[in-house]
Amino acid sequence: MYPLRFRPIFRRYLWGGRRLATTLQKPIGEHPAAESWEIVDHRDGQSVVAFGELDGRSLHDLVVEFDIDLVGRQTWQRINDESLPPNLRFRFPLLLKFLDASKNLSVQVHPDDELAATIDPPDLGKTEAWLVLAAEPDAKIFAGLKEGVTKEAFANAIQTGDVEPLLHSFHAERGDCVFIPAGTMHAIGAGLLIAEIQQASNTTYRVFDWNRVDADGNARALHIEQALSATHFDQGPVQPIKSDSTRDSQMLVQCNHFNMKRQRLTNGDSLEIETLGEFVIVANISGSVMISNDPSGLPLELGQTALIPACLERVTLTPDDDEVELLLITP
């Protein structure tokens, strides 16, 4: 095997914009796009290899064929568990995407693994983490509820349409990392370009959509009962994790589903990554870098990603620019 690159999958929602094209140079076409799914193995989207002898193969096919060599022994044991529902077995466990929010996303929540296993068809829970790539002045992130907000108080606020005062929010800046465990109420505000790593789930319960209606006066469908059941009301506010500009390497998130580290390369210094027997996702968030044994022969540019199979003991990342910033994500 070799470092894998995939063709992006574009999702077009009402809140999307043009920055996936203008900032990340993605071929979204003439219409706005909200998300670029970079690495995904799900019924709602399937990554396809872009280069090398595996060109045209789906990520799911590779997981089934190469198993431990691709994902690593520990991950394979988890996704090969016979207690999993059949549709969740052999699924690559993470989903990496970029989001361009030209409008506020709905206030929403995702179920945890236990609750998601009970829906039809079963899904994984959705714990996620964001890294802000660009933020317009006064762009906000809504993350968690204010201290002391109860289920009853929130349900009443939904009925009156006055939800925002109960949401914890802050002004976002480039480099902010936000960890959103499953069960946390949240919304990405307008004016943000974000890299997101999450469990490979697409189950979302919208609870509030800012009282918006379409041209015919119709509101978007909400999932209030499911959202209230999925929310962990003891979670409280979520604060941003600030990037430390004095450090070349900073672990931003460590949880049961993934680790996410910010890595900076400067002055042309190469970095050797050891896989330690588990896959590694590399996402470029600034500059340009070459990956050893990459059959594309092309640098990994801003907004591009690669999956390093577990069987590759080490790969070398060599910057093409004076400074490169990467996200390194492991299970």
Side-chain angles (χ1 to χ4, degrees):
M1 300 197 77
Y2 53 84
L4 299 166
R5 301 214 209 176
F6 300 95
R7 301 183 181 100
I9 302 167
F10 302 123
R11 307 301 295 262
R12 305 183 192 276
Y13 306 127
L14 59 84
W15 46 266
R18 298 291 308 170
R19 285 180 297 182
L20 294 178
T22 58
T23 301
L24 302 186
Q25 304 301 310
K26 295 190 176 294
I28 66 172
E30 61 182 82
H31 299 293
E35 298 181 351
S36 177
W37 289 15
E38 300 288 307
I39 299 177
V40 57
D41 174 11
H42 193 273
R43 63 178 177 266
D44 294 336
Q46 187 60 231
S47 288
V48 174
V49 178
F51 300 101
E53 63 183 25
L54 298 173
D55 187 6
R57 298 283 303 278
S58 74
L59 176 56
H60 184 74
D61 285 348
L62 299 187
V63 171
V64 172
E65 178 175 347
F66 294 101
D67 52 72
I68 293 172
D69 284 345
L70 177 60
V71 300
R73 187 172 302 278
Q74 293 183 15
T75 298
W76 179 249
Q77 289 174 346
R78 287 197 296 272
I79 65 176
N80 190 28
D81 188 336
E82 293 183 355
S83 68
L84 287 172
N87 69 308
L88 298 185
R89 291 186 71 192
F90 315 122
R91 181 193 290 185
F92 189 79
L94 300 179
L95 190 165
L96 180 69
K97 65 173 70 165
F98 295 103
L99 302 90
D100 174 19
S102 67
K103 302 180 180 69
N104 284 347
L105 276 67
S106 61
V107 179
Q108 56 192 244
V109 66
H110 309 298
D112 57 24
D113 286 332
E114 183 178 2
L115 181 59
T118 66
I119 66 178
D120 185 21
D123 205 353
L124 299 174
K126 189 178 175 186
T127 287
E128 59 192 65
W130 312 329
L131 196 285
V132 177
L133 303 181
E136 294 179 4
D138 298 326
K140 278 186 176 183
I141 282 177
F142 303 86
L145 300 171
K146 292 181 179 178
E147 292 286 359
V149 174
T150 64
K151 183 176 181 178
E152 292 73 23
F154 197 79
N156 289 336
I158 294 171
Q159 294 300 318
T160 63
D162 197 26
V163 167
E164 185 172 358
L166 304 188
L167 302 173
H168 170 68
S169 66
F170 54 87
H171 290 291
E173 299 178 344
R174 185 189 185 280
D176 282 353
C177 176
V178 186
F179 177 52
I180 303 290
T184 304
M185 201 73 71
H186 63 274
I188 295 172
L192 292 171
L193 182 65
I194 281 177
E196 177 181 315
I197 186 66
Q198 60 167 87
Q199 291 178 266
S201 168
N202 199 32
T203 300
T204 297
Y205 298 137
R206 288 191 300 271
V207 69
F208 181 65
D209 197 40
W210 310 102
N211 301 315
R212 292 181 289 209
V213 295
D214 62 20
D216 298 321
N218 299 314
R220 293 176 78 193
L222 300 178
H223 318 96
I224 293 173
E225 182 178 346
Q226 299 97 318
L228 292 175
S229 297
T231 300
H232 296 173
F233 282 93
D234 57 351
Q235 169 70 45
V238 174
Q239 303 295 347
I241 303 159
K242 293 292 185 179
S243 293
D244 185 347
S245 61
T246 67
R247 298 165 60 186
D248 287 338
S249 182
Q250 179 185 6
M251 184 64 75
L252 297 171
V253 175
Q254 290 179 292
C255 69
N256 292 337
H257 306 291
F258 53 80
N259 301 324
M260 181 168 74
K261 180 168 69 173
R262 182 187 60 81
Q263 181 70 50
R264 184 172 59 187
L265 306 180
T266 57
N267 303 319
D269 291 336
S270 296
L271 174 70
E272 187 173 78
I273 295 178
E274 296 185 3
T275 62
L276 302 178
E278 296 290 321
F279 69 83
V280 180
I281 294 173
V282 181
N284 189 344
I285 57 173
S286 179
S288 176
V289 67
M290 297 295 296
I291 303 177
S292 60
N293 301 315
D294 179 355
S296 76
L298 300 171
L300 194 74
E301 305 284 3
L302 168 65
Q304 295 181 346
T305 59
L307 174 60
I308 311 301
C311 64
L312 302 182
E313 293 184 3
R314 56 184 56 85
V315 297
T316 301
L317 305 178
T318 304
D320 263 5
D321 289 315
D322 290 339
E323 183 169 314
V324 174
E325 241 186 322
L326 306 169
L327 294 178
L328 303 180
I329 298 157
T330 54

